[in-house]
Amino acid sequence: MPIIKQKDYKTWKKFDRKRDLQNWLCWFLGTLIFSFCFGLISSKTIWFYVFDSHNEALDLLGRMFPPETNYFFTLIKPIWDTLNIATIGTTIGTLIAIPLAFLSANNTTPSKKFIRPLALFCIVSSRSINSVIWALLLVAVVGPGVLAGIIAIGLRSIGFCGKLLYEAIEEIDENQIEAIEATGANKAQIMTFGIVPQILPAFTSISIYRWDINIREATVVGLVGAGGIGIELDAQIGDLAWAKVSVILLAIVVAVVFSEWITAKIRKAII
Amino acid sequence: MLKTINLKKVYPNGEEALKGINLEIPNGQVVALIGPSGAGKSTFIRTINRLVEPTSGKVYFANKKNDITSLNKSKLRKIRRQIGMIFQEFALVERLSVMENVLSGRLGYVGFWNSFFRKFPQKDIEEAFRLLQRIGLEHMLDKRADELSGGQRQRVGIARALIQNPMLLLVDEPTASLDPKNSRQIMRLICELCKERNLAAIINIHDVFLAQNFAERIIGLKAGEIVYDGKPSGLSETILTKIYGEEDWSKNVAN
């Protein structure tokens, strides 16, 4: 921050002349790039459709109303499937995430050079692939249906729960571990008496949170054939049966609100 | 009872925490280890039960022939059962109950699955009741450790160490997190219990006054070396200056 000396007084400016010029140039270039891109996108957009979009949207809404309320009862089974995909998938995911987290946490891993990178790789690869992509692959492997959905949700959950859990393990209070170790306890006892009580609250809130996310994800995996309400949604959109689509969307909202309510209850009870 | 020969510890960063400690402690002696922060007090007691691995030197315990520093893991665990440890920040497992914390002192004697399902032998449970009564916390046994006050937590820490039925107590700054009144009560409790059970103890302590009042022998540690070993009454101004550095010690010297 330069102090500028004039003849008989000194003053202060945040930036000197060179920084001022650089800042101005950056803004200028930024504006130039933005205008160029805007032009490019605009030239490839059919503006007729865009200006007509409000009519289309109203038209779609019109065809969605009134919803076919009777159709709701045929949705009960797919909603039940969706809830099952989410719940069983979360359970499988967290069960596999627990050992992975212990193998990847700095303070519990048996080998920092070999096993830790391997476990971290499993966690990262599970995290980096979206559940819809897992579902696409699994529909090809195990065939369409609920099973593919469960495995897809489970695989995606491993990484999420594993990462948060191993971070929780790395943050435990080492003094408590030291005290248990000093009594002559073995490794397994140190784990159950020293580590588990410390990470239990984190573990419950992580798995509840993931279940909450998985309810939403389970509605989508159906779009690629992996069971649940998504299959129904895909089929009705294909049939242009908009009055049914609106019922499905409502059902999804109801299911999500229901899961929010349950998770809030469980959180209150446990933590 | 405990004998260390030329015990050294060099940390990976090159810091020489212990520069060859030779020490012998007879049965039932309560020793206070004083010295400035960073003198190696905590390192010293941790090298005895190998929570910190010593770099070189030997530790002989309970008149056994084997040197602790050369034991394998399962034998080390057996030795650890006979050495109780009490910590500065209490180091209780916060989310477990008082009873579970006390019983965790028996982990070295109980198998994994029994400890997992909290099935401890009846005589351990009776001993836990007795100890809780002795430290005045029998009405708290179902409380979670994090609900207790500092003084109460340290009492539970003492009970956890004593239920091991140890021959030696390693005590790391037991009063550093406590107020003056609780500090005295805790020191008194530790010393009384040592008398009752003819237990030897090494107590790391900042507070020279407490050390003088409660211990029968004082060891002054400075920069990893013993600079004083003798009676509490022998702590003169020159010796305190040697241990801690230049300061007005006239008020601290026992008359």
Side-chain angles (χ1 to χ4, degrees), chain A residues 86-101:
Chain A
T87 311
I88 301 173
T90 312
T91 313
I92 294 174
T94 45
L95 285 182
I96 300 174
I98 293 170
L100 268 181

Side-chain angles (χ1 to χ4, degrees), chain B residues 109-121:
Chain B
Y109 295 91
V110 180
F112 172 73
W113 288 109
N114 279 337
S115 71
F116 185 81
F117 292 111
R118 308 295 194 257
K119 275 195 216 150
F120 288 88

Side-chain angles (χ1 to χ4, degrees), chain A residues 57-268:
Chain A
L58 282 176
D59 185 41
L60 196 61
L61 273 177
R63 273 181 277 174
M64 279 182 170
F65 276 95
E68 273 191 46
T69 32
N70 276 340
Y71 176 62
F72 180 78
F73 297 100
T74 52
L75 282 180
I76 289 174
K77 176 74 178 29
I79 289 178
W80 177 241
D81 283 350
T82 303
L83 289 176
N84 279 335
I85 291 174
T87 311
I88 301 173
T90 312
T91 313
I92 294 174
T94 45
L95 285 182
I96 300 174
I98 293 170
L100 268 181
F102 276 100
L103 295 180
S104 10
N106 247 324
N107 45 354
T108 53
T109 184
S111 128
K112 269 186 198 173
K113 284 218 179 83
F114 185 66
I115 295 180
R116 179 163 195 262
L118 210 70
L120 280 177
F121 177 74
C122 291
I123 288 178
V124 168
S125 46
S126 149
R127 270 163 57 77
S128 51
I129 299 171
N130 191 287
S131 17
V132 178
I133 300 174
W134 278 122
L136 263 173
L137 297 174
L138 284 159
V139 167
V141 177
V142 299
V146 177
L147 182 65
I150 290 175
I151 302 177
I153 294 288
L155 282 174
R156 174 68 184 82
S157 305
I158 292 173
F160 180 91
C161 298
K163 182 180 165 67
L164 291 176
L165 198 57
Y166 93 70
E167 282 173 355
I169 296 174
E170 285 180 352
E171 278 166 22
I172 57 171
D173 174 12
E174 290 291 336
N175 286 328
Q176 300 177 31
I177 308 301
E178 208 180 22
I180 298 294
E181 206 181 340
T183 65
N186 61 31
K187 275 255 159 67
Q189 289 173 322
I190 293 172
M191 197 131 104
T192 50
F193 264 76
I195 301 175
V196 170
Q198 292 194 60
I199 59 166
L200 210 56
F203 173 73
T204 32
S205 65
I206 291 166
S207 32
I208 294 169
Y209 183 37
R210 188 63 222 184
W211 181 71
D212 197 12
I213 297 173
N214 280 348
I215 297 262
R216 275 158 264 235
E217 302 234 312
T219 59
V220 188
V221 290
L223 290 179
V224 295
I229 201 162
I231 290 184
E232 204 65 29
L233 182 62
D234 192 36
Q236 299 308 335
I237 290 179
D239 281 357
L240 303 179
W242 299 108
K244 287 180 175 172
V245 170
S246 60
V247 179
I248 295 175
L249 293 180
L250 276 174
I252 291 177
V253 169
V254 169
V256 170
V257 168
F258 170 73
S259 79
E260 290 272 351
W261 179 73
I262 286 197
T263 50
K265 283 266 165 198
I266 297 176
R267 251 186 223 122
K268 237 184 205 162

